[in-house]
Amino acid sequence: MSTAELLPIAHLALSAVFLLWNILLAGRITRQRALPPLVSGLTAVGGLLIAPALLVLVASTSLVTGRSVSTIGWIWPVTATIIAAQAFYATAAGLVTPLIGIPILLYDLVAAGTALGSYLVAEGDITGGPLLTLLAASGSAVATIAGSASAISPLHVPIPLLSPAHPSRWRIVAGWRVAIAVVAAAWVALVAFESGRGLRALRGYERFAGAELRSRPDEPFAVGLEILPTLGSPPLAFALRNDLELVGNGELDAVLVTIASGGASSLALDSLRRALEPYRRDSLILIAALAPSDAPREEAMSSRRDSAYLAVVDRVARRLRPDYLIALEEPRGADTRPRGALSPARRQWQIRALAATAKRVDRRIKVGISVIPGVRDSAVYAWAASSDSPLDAVGFSLLAGAGGGPRLDARRRTAESWMQRSGTLKEHWLFRAGGAPSIHGDAAQELAIAGLLSWAMGRPGMRGAIVTHAGDYGSMRGLRSASGRLRAATGTVFRAAKEAETR
């Protein structure tokens, strides 16, 4: 397992330790009769709410589970505020040594502010100000220690800490408290350090302001939407209904569906095919994307794992008969892996095998790959876009992360330079375009999508652009939030589709 894969696990393990700290400490403090009633009450309430509040937070960030709990999403910022109040009272009353109390208090204030900012952003109530800057800084800090994909995950939130408002009996417990305080202080310092980067990330979206959504009059251009969670089982009826409603209302030209790494059952693929049939008869383009999987290794190119991967390709091609079948590049750690970590020879073999398998089923299926501009090794794109590769289409994934506007624009410019060097031998797509509204707000998402669509629509050789995602399905990038609210970027996507249609 690589370092990029271990870091998120380590961060989740630390969050579990913090959660356990709160539960155990709450039970111990509430049994101390000598403590003031207020600190005992705050501790009891904080310890009682922390676990269910965290569960509500995670559930309320996805359309799959958020419909029933989004109305009580406020419980997480309330719980964080109660715990911060407990830490303040314990420190101010001298119930805990300042060496431990002050770092935990500062950490809790940051966690409470982040929780409140996240809740207000989810409700669409803030588009700027100190809370949004704090949220962006916290997202940047999470990306630093756990990877860019963790920054927009609800699992990687800062867990508030109850203050140990009672004397420790054993030296090892005292040492453990010091260690927790050191970690808390380090997190506060990291967020403070990242605040400048978070502010630059927010301001960087301004470079996309004024983007013109005008397609080229001499070339067709498709505007589409990535729908549904990653498909492994039959799609949920409400998710399919909501997402196809957006496709129909916006008169979009294409949809992208991502298939799980282990593949999807025949029942799931058949259900999706039947649901999309009326739209495909009306010329809707279906793009099936294979989620990142264990790529075959050069020394084991005929392993059982490789055969299973190609079996998934065959099943998807036979059951869905998509217009495009694309392979997605692994996003985690894309900018931090060492040069050559993704062996071009290994990737080329996988893509050749994928293309051959799909073409055996139906030669009309176009096979492509979506790469992430900015990775250290661009050899995969250079080969994919050359006449030597068997691919019909090449595209990019341009998704905003903790780096915000500046990083997104840098990746766009990298994609531009790659296309200029390779020419237009192959059909090009923007297979994934999206913002990060959970850490940068709805306005930033709207600017990011407008800027990316404007670039793609005006770039010769670009066949279309797919916006990620129709709804919040764990990644919190959707046009529809977990509560069912449509974000402002929805109108931008609809305008782009209308402009492309009336070219």
Side-chain angles (χ1 to χ4, degrees), residues 32-316:
Q32 303 293 319
R33 296 184 178 180
L35 292 176
L38 181 56
V39 73
S40 296
L42 290 172
T43 302
V45 174
L48 179 66
L49 290 179
I50 184 67
L54 183 59
L55 183 62
V56 168
L57 171 69
V58 174
S60 64
T61 53
S62 172
L63 269 168
V64 176
T65 54
R67 293 179 301 163
S68 57
V69 298
S70 59
T71 55
I72 57 171
W74 48 264
I75 194 172
W76 178 249
V78 168
T79 301
T81 302
I82 290 173
I83 293 177
Q86 186 267 358
F88 174 78
Y89 188 95
T91 303
L95 300 174
V96 60
T97 175
L99 179 66
I100 296 173
I102 293 177
I104 289 179
L105 172 60
L106 294 176
Y107 171 83
D108 284 343
L109 291 175
V110 171
T114 302
L116 179 59
S118 180
Y119 173 73
L120 293 176
V121 162
E123 295 296 312
D125 291 335
I126 60 171
T127 57
L131 278 180
L132 188 60
T133 301
L134 176 61
L135 186 60
S138 181
S140 183
V142 171
T144 299
I145 64 176
S148 57
S150 301
I152 59 171
S153 170
L155 297 175
H156 293 270
V157 296
I159 307 295
L161 289 168
L162 288 169
S163 187
H166 69 92
S168 59
R169 296 181 180 180
W170 298 283
R171 184 172 298 179
I172 189 172
V173 174
W176 176 248
R177 291 179 177 183
V178 172
I180 291 291
V182 169
V183 173
W187 176 257
V188 173
L190 180 59
V191 171
F193 178 79
E194 295 288 346
S195 60
R197 187 177 300 177
L199 187 59
R200 290 193 297 273
L202 291 172
R203 290 177 175 173
Y205 288 104
E206 295 174 0
R207 66 191 65 191
F208 299 118
E212 296 185 356
L213 301 175
R214 296 181 180 177
S215 62
R216 302 173 305 281
D218 55 336
E219 292 184 75
F221 189 87
V223 177
L225 192 61
E226 183 174 2
I227 63 172
L228 301 175
T230 300
L231 192 69
S233 57
L236 296 173
F238 84 91
L240 198 56
R241 181 177 62 253
N242 286 343
D243 293 357
L244 292 182
E245 179 186 3
L246 288 176
V247 173
N249 290 344
E251 299 181 352
L252 303 184
D253 308 300
V255 295
L256 182 149
V257 179
T258 303
I259 311 299
S261 297
S265 66
S266 297
L267 177 61
L269 296 173
D270 289 344
S271 298
L272 179 62
R273 188 192 70 246
R274 287 193 296 269
L276 292 177
E277 276 180 359
Y279 296 87
R280 297 192 71 185
R281 286 197 295 266
D282 196 26
S283 72
L284 180 75
I285 298 171
L286 173 59
I287 304 172
L290 296 176
S293 63
D294 295 321
R297 299 183 180 277
E298 291 178 83
E299 67 271 18
M301 287 190 176
S302 59
S303 67
R304 183 179 301 176
R305 177 184 296 169
D306 304 338
S307 298
Y309 177 81
L310 296 179
V312 171
V313 175
D314 181 85
R315 185 163 64 250
V316 170

Side-chain angles (χ1 to χ4, degrees), residues 388-412:
D388 183 54
S389 83
L391 297 178
D392 303 293
V394 186
F396 306 104
S397 293
L398 292 172
L399 301 174
R407 175 68 64 85
L408 185 63
D409 189 49
R411 286 182 171 173
R412 182 198 60 78

Side-chain angles (χ1 to χ4, degrees), residues 337-351:
R337 67 188 179 204
R339 183 179 296 277
L342 181 62
S343 169
R346 188 181 81 190
R347 190 62 164 156
Q348 286 178 27
W349 183 91
Q350 186 188 33
I351 296 303

Side-chain angles (χ1 to χ4, degrees), residues 442 445-447 449 467 478-479 486-494:
D442 291 7
Q445 179 196 32
E446 184 179 17
L447 288 172
I449 289 177
V467 173
L479 299 182
L486 288 177
R487 295 188 171 108
T490 306
T492 299
V493 177
F494 287 3

